[in-house]
Amino acid sequence: MPDKEKTLTRRSFLKGLLGSSLALIGSSPGFRHAFARSPITVGLQVELTGGLATYGYWHLKSARAAVEKINSEGGIAGRKVKLVHEDTATDPTTGSRKMRRLILRKGADFVIGSQHSGVCLASSPVSRRFSVPYFPIGEATEITGSKGHKYVFRSNYSVEAHAESGYRWVMDNLGTDWTIIYADYAMGQSALKEWSTRLKKDGGKPVGEISVPQGTDDFGPYLRKVDPEKTEVLFIILYGPDALACLRRSAEMGLDERMNRFGNTGSVEALDVDFPGAEGLWSITNYPRRLEEISAELRGVNREFRERVGVKPDGTGPEGRVVDASHFWVPWENLHLLREAVRASGWKGKADHPALIRSLEGITVSGSLDHPQGEKYIRHVDHQGFHAQYIQQVRDGKLRIEERLSPESGEYEPNAVL
Amino acid sequence: MEPLSQISFGLLNGVIRGTILALLASGLNVVFGLMKTVNVAHGSLYMVGAYLAWSVFAGTGSFWLSLVVSPLAVAALAVAMGMVLRPIRDNSSLTILGTFAAALVFQGMTLVLWGGTPRRLPLPLGASFSLFGTGYSYYRVLAAGLAGFVLLGFWLVTEKTRFGLTLRASEEEPELSTAIGINVSSVYLLGFALGGALAGLSGSLIAPMVSLAPDMGLRVFAVVFLIVILGGLGNIWNSVLAALVFSVVRGIATAFLDATGGLIVSFSLVLLLILVAPDYYTGGNRDASQN
């Protein structure tokens, strides 16, 4: 039998000619340019249903407004940005599945992540497996710590950064004997560890640690464990409906009059605080809710940023919805950060991910319309971002900023070297 | 805190919460009796009742009005659901799927109509009394009292009136009931209305005590379903007892254990009871006791 593989036939010659022609065309600058005009697809993993739906509503608006702005300014490196999103249902299993869907079905080149730490932790391995840069918003320390990898960048604070930045202020101003009531899942457990470790290290007294399942609506039995004789600060690490229920019940039980109450970023996030149970509550936040509380030099760009997203100066939006002020700027800023990294690295496609990662490592930005929250930097070693924090209090039904804490105040020892 | 006061608080708080849960569970029981399967949307009807209470308060400034509006409106919603599901009511699997779909629809509608921001209602009675050293609102006691009163009325209606007899006859012998002239289809919808009204009233009563969120219905359903299983499907007073026991055990366990421990103890109780008396939960002894 003749050796077919080594015999040049008319058909194999034509096949070879076609292949060579395609290869030549593909490598020509004109073709590459035309290919490069295809949109850059950015995936948004967002909580549109479930416990964090109120955050997701704003994150989608924030991301859409950023994409509209970026596209009106010529896109990124001459390419339009296409935003695709998936609802995580505030559930880690669903969120991880939706992460795959964003990458495999919707062709996301990058994914801006969930607010839910459990979703972020479940999605991080997917980002690594498919080598897709991931910008989670969830605040569990592990996301850029023990579970971090080179494709993960978090531009907003972790709970460890919050703790590092705020614990001394709480000890100095509110008291050193704390009872901590916390949500019994990734974010809550992570926050408990970071705050209580620092409290103990500096000579404070952890009076009690009370875990609460997500979705608790009767806080009576849990708050009953708080010892008012020994507790100076009731430290609340809860969010959404749980935080609201806890605040109301603690006031009904008279705890607000017997001790200071201090909450993490989620404790008043997206809540209308004009009710007796919230009055007097202290908390830490990434960003002021009300425009008038923002520094004079950044107030102008923040006014425009809020107008583009649909947030009024008082921090409310359509139908009186309260914005999740501490977080809603993150999708907006991440999209602009991505634009800067693509420009700096000359990113064209997946093959350029290493260059894009290098350009994000150690990046610093100044306060501007692209970065309305203010100056920040992403640490090279663990891809963790640092920015200013604020201590606020509910007074006369409004959140009022008491003190600004610098970006450097949150610097902690890295938990990972990537 | 002293263990005795912790137990006492858990006991009283558990009884109050348990009474409202029992009211909700009784609505689930009614619909179960008619459909011979579980109405997974029952928790979502309760959630709608709570949100309606919020709307009534926001619109009129009166919470008390919602105790009338919510049950009526939710009853109408339940009837509409019952009409949609009527063609598949003889198929338990399809009915479960259908009511689950309805639950998701109600949740989605709530998100669209009221948004995801947690809503709150002020306590209608602002005053509190001291319960073992901590404040406790009078409204909680009043709400439990109202729930208990309605439960008693519900029992009287279902056990001592002609309507109740018709309802029970349609549940137990639908063919025979049809033969003697009872319109079983109408009774089926009336059952849905009754179940819906009880869910709406429970939601309205609980609204000032909790944060309103669209997923509150699915969350409460797991607990109410367990209560109904624990008490025996179709048995009102056993469900009431089960709700009280479950709430008290959970409250007291929570006082001494962490969150997970409290849940494990409460749900283990259900498992234990089912293991101790399997015949009761599979219908053997219950049927015998009713004969």
Side-chain angles (χ1 to χ4, degrees), chain A residues 43-54:
Chain A
L44 180 70
Q45 213 185 13
V46 64
E47 284 66 44
L48 296 178
T49 54
L52 287 177
T54 186

Side-chain angles (χ1 to χ4, degrees), chain B residues 229-243:
Chain B
I229 294 288
L230 197 60
L233 285 160
N235 190 323
I236 295 173
W237 292 116
N238 280 1
S239 284
V240 172
L241 187 63

Side-chain angles (χ1 to χ4, degrees), chain A residues 341-358:
Chain A
V342 167
R343 282 175 176 166
S345 64
W347 182 92
K348 295 243 172 354
K350 198 170 179 177
D352 300 319
H353 279 346
L356 181 116
I357 288 169
R358 280 195 299 277

